[in-house]
Amino acid sequence: MIILITGTPGVGKTTVSSILVEKIDACLVNINELVDEKHLYTGIDEERGYKIVDLDALFNEIAKIIKNIDDHDKHVVVEGHLSHLFENSDIVIVLRANPDVLRDRMKIKGWKAAKIRENIEAEAIDICSYESFEIHGDKVNEIDTSDIHPDHVADLIIDVINGDKSFPVGNVDFLDYLK
């Protein structure tokens, strides 16, 4: 099973994914590490400080990794802000966070004000959820991590994997933040 975990930077993707792969004995593909390790970018956006990721090269590399996993019964968790753009999935989890919580998390990490503003606006208008749903439809679930411990978020994802729970797109709404 291929599980994509995506969301705006700062929602808890890396933390939750690390916990999840331990709980379900899955293989983890961390997109940020893969991009750096394999140099899957074409340059740096100087204004924003982002790597310009070569998506075709990234997706080819992810497909190779998935294909080379020996145990075909093993779950693969692909984690990262761009993971939802990878079209091969069984489940997509969009982690969300209240923009105020997200701002606090980003400040703690030392992010610049412009980057914080850009990301909380993206969170408020559901960019990752929208893009995920456009590509993956009903495979997409949204989980609000604002007030939930990462262990519990991982347990909720396990419930989704097992078919015990569903968190359809649209149940998390931060649009009032923009008013």
Side-chain angles (χ1 to χ4, degrees):
M1 177 177 285
I2 300 169
I3 304 154
L4 308 180
I5 299 184
T6 190
T8 305
V11 295
K13 297 177 301 294
T14 302
T15 302
V16 169
S17 295
S18 296
I19 294 167
L20 178 65
V21 297
E22 290 296 319
K23 288 186 174 209
I24 65 172
D25 189 31
C27 294
L28 177 64
V29 178
N30 178 307
I31 285 183
N32 289 340
E33 290 177 6
L34 187 61
V35 165
D36 287 342
E37 178 185 313
K38 300 283 186 173
H39 304 285
L40 303 174
Y41 54 93
T42 58
I44 305 288
D45 180 327
E46 295 299 331
E47 184 177 322
R48 292 188 175 120
Y50 294 152
K51 288 185 174 100
I52 301 167
V53 177
D54 181 339
L55 292 176
D56 289 336
L58 173 63
F59 298 154
N60 286 335
E61 198 63 38
I62 293 170
K64 278 192 242 176
I65 291 168
I66 291 169
K67 187 177 180 180
N68 288 330
I69 292 174
D70 294 330
D71 183 357
H72 295 288
D73 292 331
K74 195 159 186 130
H75 298 305
V76 178
V77 174
V78 180
E79 176 269 318
H81 176 65
L82 300 173
S83 67
H84 64 279
L85 300 175
F86 183 64
E87 293 184 7
N88 186 8
S89 72
D90 295 297
I91 294 174
V92 180
I93 304 292
V94 181
L95 298 182
R96 306 286 310 278
N98 179 289
D100 291 328
V101 171
L102 198 56
R103 177 188 295 111
D104 292 345
R105 290 177 184 175
M106 291 179 178
K107 282 182 179 178
I108 289 169
K109 291 181 179 185
W111 290 31
K112 294 179 182 177
K115 194 170 181 182
I116 291 172
R117 187 173 41 259
E118 178 182 346
N119 282 298
I120 62 175
E121 287 174 2
E123 181 64 10
I125 62 172
D126 305 346
I127 293 291
C128 290
S129 295
Y130 174 79
E131 290 177 347
S132 296
F133 190 77
E134 285 289 301
I135 297 167
H136 303 279
D138 291 335
K139 295 178 184 179
V140 182
N141 287 261
E142 286 183 307
I143 299 175
D144 183 353
T145 67
S146 301
D147 300 315
I148 304 175
H149 190 276
D151 277 312
H152 185 64
V153 175
D155 290 338
L156 292 173
I157 294 171
I158 292 169
D159 288 341
V160 171
I161 292 167
N162 293 332
D164 297 331
K165 289 191 179 169
S166 175
F167 303 95
V169 171
N171 286 328
V172 180
D173 183 1
F174 299 124
L175 283 175
D176 284 346
Y177 180 83
L178 296 176
K179 290 181 181 180

